[in-house]
Amino acid sequence: MSSPVGVSAPAFGRSAVPAFPSVALSADAAPFTPGRADSSLSDAEKQFSRCAAKLWSLRADCGQLREELNQLFDQLLSENYNRSCELPITIRPEEVCILLKHTSGLVPLNQEHLVVKFCQLVHHLLNQLKVIMDERTLDVLVNYTTDALKQCSTWTHSDVLLALSTVVYGNGSQCHQLVSDLLREDGVILQYSCPSQPNIELRHVALTCMANICLRIPGQPPLDDQYRSVCFRYFLKTLQSPKPPNTDDLFHCMVIQAALKGLQFCLSGGKWKFGGGDELGSVLAALKRLMFQGAPGLSVDWPAVLFPAPLSQYEGPSPPKPAEPPKTSELSKEVDKTGKASGKKKRKSKGKKMKTEESRVDDREEENKEVVPELHRAGDGSRDDGETLPKPPALFLYPSWKLNSSESEFSDLEGNAQSKLRVYQCRVRQLALHSMLAVVKAVEKRTLYGYWSSFIPDSPAGGPPSLTLLTIILKDPSPKVRLCALQVLSAILDGSRQFLAAAEDTASPRTSYTPFSFMLAAAIRELHRGLSLALLAETSSQTLTQVIKCLAFLVANAPYHRLRPGLLSLLWKQIRPYVRHRDVTVRGSVLRLYGAIVTAQAPLSEVQLLLQQPESVGSGSISGSVTPQDPALSWRHRNGASLPVRTPAASSQHNSSTHSPHLPHTPREEENSSLWLLRLCVSLVTQPREDQSDSEGAGGGVALEPSPVRLEALQVLSHLVRDYFPLAQSSMYEIGQVSARCLGETDPSIQLHSAKLLEEFGAGIIQQYRAENNVPESSRIPVNQVVGFWSEVLSGPLNTALQNEQHPTLQASACDTLASILPQAFAQLPDKTQLMCITMLLGLTYIENYLVKMAAVRALGVYILFPCLREDVMFVADTANIILAALDDRSTNVRAKAAWSLGNLTDTLIINMQNVGVGFQEELSDMLLLKMLQAATRAAADRDKVKCNAVRALGNLLHFLRHSQMTRPVFQRPLEDGVRALVKTVQSDAAMKVRWNACYALGNAFRNPSLPLETALWAQDAFSALCHVVTSCENFKVRIKSAAALAVPAQRSCYGDTKRFICVWSSLSSALENSEDAVDFLEYRYSTSLRHTLSEALLHLLSLSKLQDMPELSASLAGEEGRGIKEHLIKYLKAEEGEEKTGGEDEAREERNSGEESNHPQQRVGGLQHTLVRLKGLEAEEEGGEEKEVVVRFLEDLLQICEEL
């Protein structure tokens, strides 16, 4: 809060005017007058300038000093310096700092009345003018106030502490000596903050001062942990202490407010760890009690500590009090009159300002604006009204704080006092929720889950009802308090997907006990019910927005695929009218909620049915229904008349000037009309707003929806296309039209989201044509329509977006859009269009912005796999040179995408080698291959995100090299470096994905028959690394890849001498024996695949074995180890399932490229028979015959068992 300000002379006025005349200042000098016309100065500023000049002219030895100071202080304190005055206040902070520093030297500490007035002035000026002090002023005022606390009488300490709290606001970390003095055991603040302090006013200002010390301003270091801990204990002790006898309720509320602020500042001032024991439970219990502060008729025995438990913790009713409660009949009469009473004029409480304010932030204005809300909000009485609170339910169900009291019930003084008390109690509840929000953010999610049931109900029925956040959301009369409760609930729900994933209620629970999964499901249903009631009842637009956001958090984290259907259907219908709410933020939040529903465990059958519902089903047509609160809330209604909403056909006619695709309908378009939600989003994005009373339409043009609403609508369209493409594909025409129109606008955010929409649509088409998805041809969009779609898109404003250098994010998104073109459609595009796409991408790789370069390099990595481009040697060479340059970029993200593209390019080389033959290998430049090999080797030493694809490219390159190239001296050293880079990566502590890619890359290199495995020095290191990993790596996927690599060499000579061959055998057999010994439980899911791969590798070694290998093989198979191997081999030979896919997209592509397929059991047995025949045909020497027979008998027994099974 403090900043050094170098001021050489006081200047009480505008900086362009000399501050003082060049004469000596004295008491007889003329008063200071500012250098501008008096008419432009506010009265407060004029008064400040006059008094400041007089104060500066005073000296400590002046006569009549006390009278002068007393008069000047009174004049300065009488003015209101709030910046909400008619004329702006232009008093500079430097002027205030100079004045206060000078005045502090004029007020001796023995003049206690002047000390009090000076402290009041410090608080008055700093608080109202929001002054940021320089370091010198901070030191002067801190020293003065601390000295005053030590030397002045106790009656002055209230004002001194108030001034000190204003001075240290946000500056606690800079006042080390002050903090250590005041917060020690016998310090003044701790003494006055103690709950046993009888002076309630001193206690309040002491707590406020302590809270302001704990406050951390962004950019400044937090207060030392030891001092924060001391303050935290006192704040918590204050919240737990009961109200002292004979204490005014208003003063007690102020003390609680100060403690709550301090608790919030402690938790928000940096990393916080709760102490051992029940400290967290004590804090939560105190906050929960204060969340309901001032609730009439609420008689609850609040627990002192909340304990983590899966079951709900209910507050028991306290013993009945002798005071007679209000009569239920009278209360019910008041309830029946709610419709009439809600029309009464709301009264504002005008509480007199208290001298001891809570902080520099003046909350009086905000608190005075709190009004007594309407008598009854819709939804409070729906369902069973007695289910949210304990008996007697009538006292709180329609609470007195929601009923305007009869005028004869209170006198004017009593009415003002009651109104003011309600405002203060409301402020307590609000601050308690703010502190609760700080607790939620400071505590780990897994720790907070234990207290979930204390704040979220699990069921409306069964057992006594509980007081939860939903109670506040539905019952509290203050929209600000309801808003805070919704924020807390949203923070609890955010990131709770892992916790809520256990919820399930698809089956009926057992009657003997209630499973935890069913309790979680009941809590989710109760949250839906409560928030739906709040949605119908809420009248404040700001709070309504938070209700909808809270629902979005719930939908994003709840496992609806494990719950009985119906929750989303009801919510879908309830929020539908709010898309026409007059408030922009409400409309935007509704669209965000629709997006959350669409993306919830997509594709979800319930959502799919909702999307396919006709427009008339549910809550009415688009033009006919209104929001529940007020028929006039709809912004589409003017003067009470309903304006028609344009249909999509009208929308297309309106946008006829936009150049967009004109395509025939898809085969399914006749069956399914376009989705209601899709049409709504298209309407919100493209159609003009009927209600143009806002400033957007003042210019005479057509006013569209505000940008936030249009952006949310485009995002919902993207979600629909991505998650429900079969339903959205029939609207290809509308989607293309919307994207073309938005790309032609000037708002880069709109352009960006439209490019994202095109990208998602292109990705959906690509998914349809992937063979593994098995989409029937009748359900796909025909290729000719896809060609027409992209022809129109590429000839429109997408080119402009690609060349928009002012917005690199848009350029990058446009590159991603180009990369989402269906390969079959790209091949049928006109040659000039293909050339334009390639040229544009090649050119964008030279852009300095890393986002653009990264996206362009990635798009080239996609294009290199296109069948129509991958055999073009010139395109391959151009792309390779671009990728090689990008691999040297200073941005790690660019290098990562370049390595990924290099991996794709080398995949293309392998495909061309298999399909085209030697001709392509000979046509590709040797020097280019050498550069690629060297670049991939360097990239293998980069960060993991680069390394994981660099090793993939290395494996492909080593597989691709010809014998003539490997024998050239220029290739020999890079070849060895490449293999050693793979070996080093296998043995390193890199990420597991990097290591299994390196194992796969070694296996890929072993497929090259020209690789000198039997003679190269590095071959021993490669086999040793794989043997070590297959037996010792904790990650089973790495073991699987290493075992598969060891089974790749097709010749016995590739394994080297007998010692290396038996080393490989021993490693594989040992790995098979220990294939169930997983350190991490998650690895067990890969154990079957691991045993499958190990068994296949062992049989492969047996099929290649020679006579010199028989002694060691027979020793292994004859003993206990052999029996274990036999059991696993039998399971492998008769297993019906193939090898489990354990990798991601890259590995799946690698396996397809390498031609690996899991064999049928008959083929496996046939391979075993072939091995047995070959071994029998080996001519054994006299000393080696017995060992061979042992191996042969092992295989015969194995074959016989398989035939019997």
Side-chain angles (χ1 to χ4, degrees), residues 884-921:
L884 292 177
L887 280 172
D888 294 329
D889 195 88
R890 64 177 180 271
S891 170
T892 304
N893 292 327
V894 173
R895 297 198 305 273
K897 290 300 180 184
W900 181 83
S901 297
L902 182 62
N904 286 3
L905 189 148
T906 55
D907 287 344
T908 294
L909 298 183
I910 301 300
I911 295 173
N912 289 338
M913 180 182 68
Q914 296 171 348
N915 297 340
V916 180
V918 182
F920 180 85
Q921 290 178 283

Side-chain angles (χ1 to χ4, degrees), residues 158-159 161 192 197-207 251 254-255 354-356:
S158 176
D159 293 284
L161 282 173
Y192 290 156
Q197 170 59 235
N199 190 326
I200 195 70
E201 186 176 357
L202 268 178
R203 186 180 171 196
H204 168 250
V205 292
L207 287 169
F251 274 102
M254 292 170 62
V255 170
M354 306 297 296
K355 177 176 62 175
T356 55

Side-chain angles (χ1 to χ4, degrees), residues 859-866 869-870 875-876 879 901 904-905 908:
L860 288 173
V862 174
Y863 278 25
I864 199 66
L865 294 173
F866 284 6
L869 295 177
R870 66 189 179 202
F875 175 69
V876 172
T879 303
S901 297
N904 286 3
L905 189 148
T908 294

Side-chain angles (χ1 to χ4, degrees), residues 155-178:
W155 72 272
T156 65
H157 287 186
S158 176
D159 293 284
V160 175
L161 282 173
L162 183 61
L164 179 60
S165 68
T166 311
V167 172
V168 299
Y169 184 87
N171 294 317
S173 60
Q174 302 181 31
C175 306
H176 303 286
Q177 187 61 40
L178 166 73

Side-chain angles (χ1 to χ4, degrees), residues 1009-1037:
S1010 302
L1011 205 65
L1013 291 177
E1014 62 276 7
T1015 60
L1017 297 177
W1018 43 259
Q1020 176 63 35
D1021 296 335
F1023 280 105
S1024 297
L1026 292 173
C1027 289
H1028 175 73
V1029 167
V1030 79
T1031 56
S1032 62
C1033 185
E1034 297 179 357
N1035 188 280
F1036 277 15
K1037 294 167 75 175

Side-chain angles (χ1 to χ4, degrees), residues 468-529:
T468 62
L469 289 171
L470 282 182
T471 310
I472 302 173
I473 294 169
L474 291 172
K475 301 295 184 180
D476 200 284
S478 170
K480 294 181 180 179
V481 176
R482 299 195 298 270
L483 178 65
C484 293
L486 287 163
Q487 290 173 341
V488 174
L489 182 57
S490 299
I492 294 175
L493 292 174
D494 187 20
S496 62
R497 181 177 302 176
Q498 186 177 3
F499 174 66
L500 294 178
E504 185 175 13
D505 67 350
T506 53
S508 300
R510 300 180 182 180
T511 56
S512 57
Y513 70 96
T514 302
F516 179 68
S517 59
F518 191 83
M519 292 174 55
L520 277 181
I524 293 174
R525 292 189 175 277
E526 186 63 11
L527 283 172
H528 265 278
R529 187 190 74 88

Side-chain angles (χ1 to χ4, degrees), residues 307-313 449-454 458 499 516 519-520:
F307 298 98
L311 297 175
S312 296
Q313 302 178 32
Y449 292 153
Y451 302 93
W452 181 283
S453 57
S454 298
D458 56 0
F499 174 66
F516 179 68
M519 292 174 55
L520 277 181

